[in-house]
Amino acid sequence: LSKTCLDFLIGVIIMSSNLEDIKKGDRVRVQGGRNFEKFHGGMEGTVVENNRDSRNMLVQFDDVRTSGPEPLIVAYKHLELAPERGGYRPGPGPGGPGPSPPLAAPSSSSSSSCAAAAAAPAPAPQGPFLLEHGDFKSRQLVVLHGLQSAAAQELNDKRGRLLKFDPTAERWELDVRGPGNKRIKPENLRKLGKVVVEKDLSVAGFKERGNAAFQKQEYEEAVEYYGAAIDALEEAAEEGAERPAEADDPKYLAVLYSNRAQVYITLCREVHVVDKAANSEDTVSKEARTCAMKANMDAAQAIELDPTFGKAYYRRGCAVLGMAPSASRSKEAIYWLETALSGRASGGKDGIVLPNAMRHEVSNLLDYAKQRLDVMTEVAIPDPDACKQQ
């Protein structure tokens, strides 16, 4: 063996012998450059069991969104001791931070496979993950393309929102609409271009395109097509304009506003899930609030056009809950949801119509709104000890 290969193997042996001494409860980290379905370079966890004979460990990872809730069996060769949390650094290579590895740096003239493995450079991240890298940043909406493997080709043209970038694996983690979390190379991502809406369609044609776009999870197109249908009907109300048949039916316009409200609600939920995954905080971002406010306005317009439209009351309750949490908003959401539930399939109180298939969904959301009101109220109640007379 060459000296480079020998040094590399000695380093592996030293690392493995150290891992044999690890006890239950110790901390370990996946080495840089490893990339598997449920764990990758930089992930840290606690040792549940050290199987010295089979040279692997049962590890409970901190990042359960990636690994799942159950401990995983990981071979020694993928692990390193991690006495301090968050101490991840990329693998050995020129310019990489952290202490020197227990193996000699290979010469530039070496062509052996061992030398290539030892010399593989790794980028220097600003911590385990980055929220911005190259042309992309966290929360950004992107389109997947150029994936070649049989299993991945079905992801081409799907949309998703970026979560965080792993500089060692050189992949973005993103929430793809439909399939869920995936890890994709930057070259297989592109920014979503400007949405183009077909012109010269009828009102019904715009509505059909909006429905189809929503079913395909192309929410940006759905918003534009429903908007085009709304504009066409409202412009038809102007004096001298050609009036389509739908212009004389306020309930038809109410459905368009309600449908667009549902798209905004879906986008609000999507953004909120991504915000929570990227920041590990249960806060409502400006983008999520904006979607919720637009949904609220559309649902309110639908109710004004058709006061018997149960779905519109439900969607207004959803929209209010999508805003920043407060006791007043919780009360408002409860009002709209209770109004929706007062409806019946054949028309209930005040003639409100709510399909039977929706009652369970509305009831569940109403329970959540009441729970959130209880939490907001408890927060607002002052501490008696702090209210003593001066």
Side-chain angles (χ1 to χ4, degrees):
L1 290 176
S2 67
K3 185 178 185 300
T4 300
C5 283
L6 185 59
D7 287 337
F8 177 78
L9 293 174
I10 290 173
V12 171
I13 293 171
I14 292 173
M15 187 178 297
S16 297
S17 63
N18 291 338
L19 292 176
E20 289 180 354
D21 297 331
I22 289 178
K23 303 180 296 296
K24 178 180 178 181
D26 286 346
R27 301 280 299 172
V28 291
R29 180 187 304 117
V30 179
Q31 294 181 35
R34 271 57 171 182
N35 186 34
F36 299 94
E37 181 181 358
K38 292 194 174 184
F39 64 89
H40 53 78
M43 285 179 61
E44 298 181 2
T46 303
V47 176
V48 177
E49 184 179 354
N50 189 352
N51 304 309
R52 295 171 179 80
D53 294 337
S54 52
R55 306 189 68 74
N56 59 45
M57 296 185 192
L58 189 63
V59 181
Q60 177 66 67
F61 285 107
D62 301 336
D63 183 5
V64 294
R65 294 188 74 255
T66 301
S67 66
E70 300 299 324
L72 299 178
I73 296 177
V74 184
Y76 278 4
K77 62 182 179 181
H78 301 312
L79 296 171
E80 62 188 12
L81 184 63
E84 297 181 4
R85 287 178 180 265
Y88 168 65
R89 292 293 182 270
S100 299
L103 50 123
S107 65
S108 59
S109 60
S110 173
S111 60
S112 69
S113 59
C114 287
Q126 302 172 2
F129 296 102
L130 305 177
L131 297 181
E132 187 169 351
H133 177 76
D135 297 331
F136 301 109
K137 58 183 178 180
S138 180
R139 302 184 183 86
Q140 188 172 353
L141 183 64
V142 295
V143 181
L144 283 66
H145 72 98
L147 296 167
Q148 300 296 324
S149 69
Q153 283 184 10
E154 63 182 19
L155 296 175
N156 286 328
D157 297 325
K158 288 191 178 294
R159 300 175 187 182
R161 289 186 183 270
L162 299 176
L163 300 176
K164 49 196 174 184
F165 182 73
D166 182 347
T168 303
E170 297 185 345
R171 281 171 170 77
W172 272 99
E173 181 181 343
L174 68 159
D175 184 21
V176 183
R177 290 174 181 171
N181 276 27
K182 298 293 179 182
R183 294 167 57 80
I184 305 294
K185 294 180 179 179
E187 54 264 35
N188 295 119
L189 302 172
R190 62 177 172 83
K191 299 177 182 178
L192 179 67
K194 184 179 179 180
V195 174
V196 178
V197 177
E198 294 181 52
K199 304 296 184 180
D200 302 325
L201 293 175
S202 66
V203 172
F206 284 128
K207 180 185 176 185
E208 289 173 4
R209 292 289 198 283
N211 291 345
F214 184 78
Q215 292 299 322
K216 292 192 292 184
Q217 297 181 313
E218 295 174 351
Y219 304 129
E220 294 70 31
E221 282 85 347
V223 166
E224 296 300 324
Y225 276 116
Y226 288 138
I230 291 170
D231 291 343
L233 282 180
E234 293 183 340
E235 289 171 4
E238 298 177 3
E239 186 176 353
E242 183 180 352
R243 291 179 63 80
E246 298 88 353
D248 296 322
D249 183 4
K251 291 187 176 183
Y252 192 94
L253 184 56
V255 169
L256 292 174
Y257 272 109
S258 180
N259 284 359
R260 192 170 67 175
Q262 180 59 56
V263 183
Y264 283 130
I265 290 167
T266 303
L267 286 170
C268 175
R269 289 171 176 166
E270 176 182 278
V271 173
H272 184 58
V273 167
V274 170
D275 286 339
K276 189 173 181 180
N279 300 324
S280 299
E281 296 179 2
D282 195 13
T283 56
V284 182
S285 67
K286 180 180 179 180
E287 185 178 359
R289 289 198 306 272
T290 299
C291 290
M293 287 188 287
K294 289 181 178 180
N296 188 40
M297 290 188 291
D298 277 354
Q301 188 65 35
I303 292 170
E304 183 176 338
L305 288 163
D306 181 9
T308 68
F309 195 6
K311 281 186 180 180
Y313 291 102
Y314 165 62
R315 287 169 179 166
R316 192 164 187 187
C318 290
V320 173
L321 287 174
M323 301 178 194
S326 68
S328 61
R329 287 203 176 100
S330 298
K331 290 178 181 178
E332 184 181 353
I334 290 170
Y335 170 78
W336 296 120
L337 295 170
E338 286 182 339
T339 304
L341 277 176
S342 71
R344 294 292 183 270
S346 57
K349 181 182 178 182
D350 299 325
I352 294 174
V353 177
L354 183 72
N356 289 331
M358 291 189 64
R359 299 194 66 81
H360 182 67
E361 183 178 351
V362 179
S363 296
N364 285 344
L365 192 63
L366 177 59
D367 289 341
Y368 169 75
K370 291 178 177 179
Q371 291 170 8
R372 195 159 88 169
L373 175 61
D374 290 341
V375 172
M376 293 295 105
T377 304
E378 288 173 4
V379 171
I381 294 175
D383 182 356
D385 291 336
C387 299
K388 294 178 179 178
Q389 293 180 343
Q390 301 297 319

